[in-house]
Amino acid sequence: MTKSLGLSPMRMGRRWALGALVALACAGNALAEENPRDPYEGFNRSMFAVNEAIDKYAAKPVAQVYDAAVPLPVKAGVGNFFGNVGDLWIGVNSAMQGKFADAGVDIGRLLINSTVGIFGLFDVASELGLEKHEEDFGQTLAVWGVQDGGYLFWPFIGPRTVRDTAGFGVDSFVDPVWRVQPVPVRNSMVPLRFVDVRASLLPADKVVEEAALDKYAYIRDAYLQRRRNQIFDGRPPRLDD
């Protein structure tokens, strides 16, 4: 009865793995010779169109209502809470990448914000000078030498690479939010986090719409550039032409 109310992390991981295989199966119809960074462009543009429809008629309107109706301190507390939940796994990834000083900061943030910050509702650690990092298993795989495998676009979760899709599956599996009990509480927290993230992206919507002649290509190029910057901690090597 409990399992029927939501997907378990294991089932989520299997679905993402299956999705990656589907994307790779579409390679025969891809336009790899036109853009080697986007070998599955035909598939990706189809998924992008699906995501645009979902966003237009469901995700964005809900995010707009949330943004307008919820007071700023509450929205800040929600964002801080979910950010604090992720600091443990961020610390683990920092350690797996050999950045042990950063890992210590990440764990310190978790301890301070979970106690003084009242379960992460207040980001006291940042006020104390402990920088928040952005690390995930996709970045860890990149540091270990795993190639990106090409760009992919997925409904709901957005742009990824093949490597980062696999990393997202691992991140989802270890995500403590997916293990919250009872299940109805978990099923409330997961969409709340999604809506909070989508609401935080609302200011960027107008910028993208005005700047992009091809919105798909704009988002793809911005994602790949930002991802490369994350992997190299803001100091990416120069690329050959």
Side-chain angles (χ1 to χ4, degrees):
M1 180 66 177
T2 300
K3 292 183 178 180
S4 65
L5 296 177
L7 293 175
S8 68
M10 181 67 76
R11 291 178 64 189
M12 284 291 293
R14 289 173 180 171
R15 289 198 172 191
W16 290 120
L18 179 60
L21 293 176
V22 171
L24 294 175
C26 296
N29 298 323
L31 303 175
E33 67 279 2
E34 295 185 8
N35 190 339
R37 296 187 305 167
D38 190 0
Y40 317 115
E41 186 170 350
F43 170 83
N44 289 336
R45 285 187 179 272
S46 297
M47 294 298 100
F48 182 78
V50 171
N51 189 76
E52 285 288 277
I54 295 172
D55 187 67
K56 179 179 180 179
Y57 295 108
K60 185 174 181 179
V62 173
Q64 289 172 325
V65 171
Y66 172 85
D67 188 55
V70 178
L72 181 59
V74 176
K75 288 186 289 187
V78 171
N80 289 338
F81 173 80
F82 287 117
N84 184 63
V85 168
D87 274 339
L88 176 59
W89 184 234
I90 289 173
V92 172
N93 278 286
S94 293
M96 290 192 291
Q97 295 171 33
K99 295 181 284 192
F100 299 108
D102 286 355
V105 171
D106 299 328
I107 301 304
R109 285 183 53 86
L110 176 66
L111 294 175
I112 292 172
N113 286 341
S114 296
T115 53
V116 182
I118 311 176
F119 302 107
L121 294 176
F122 300 94
D123 188 2
V124 179
S126 291
E127 297 296 328
L128 296 176
L130 297 179
E131 178 187 2
K132 184 171 180 63
H133 301 118
E134 294 184 73
E135 304 291 349
D136 53 55
F137 195 66
Q139 292 180 63
T140 299
L141 291 174
V143 171
W144 290 352
V146 178
Q147 298 302 306
D148 61 34
Y151 176 79
L152 290 171
F153 192 95
W154 300 106
F156 294 106
I157 71 169
R160 292 290 190 276
T161 61
V162 173
R163 177 194 60 222
D164 292 337
T165 298
F168 179 80
V170 175
D171 294 336
S172 299
F173 180 78
V174 302
D175 185 356
V177 174
W178 283 103
R179 301 179 183 277
V180 170
Q181 296 294 332
V183 171
V185 175
R186 182 196 73 192
N187 289 348
S188 298
M189 294 178 66
V190 171
L192 174 61
R193 178 170 57 182
F194 176 84
V195 171
D196 180 70
V197 171
R198 183 62 186 91
S200 71
L201 297 175
L202 289 174
D205 288 350
K206 186 176 181 180
V207 175
V208 174
E209 295 290 348
E210 292 179 350
L213 295 175
D214 182 347
K215 186 176 180 180
Y216 166 82
Y218 183 92
I219 291 175
R220 176 195 63 202
D221 295 344
Y223 170 79
L224 292 174
Q225 180 177 348
R226 179 176 182 272
R227 194 61 174 162
R228 179 174 171 80
N229 195 60
Q230 286 179 320
I231 291 168
F232 289 99
D233 294 326
R235 299 180 296 275
R238 295 185 60 181
L239 293 172
D240 295 332
D241 292 336

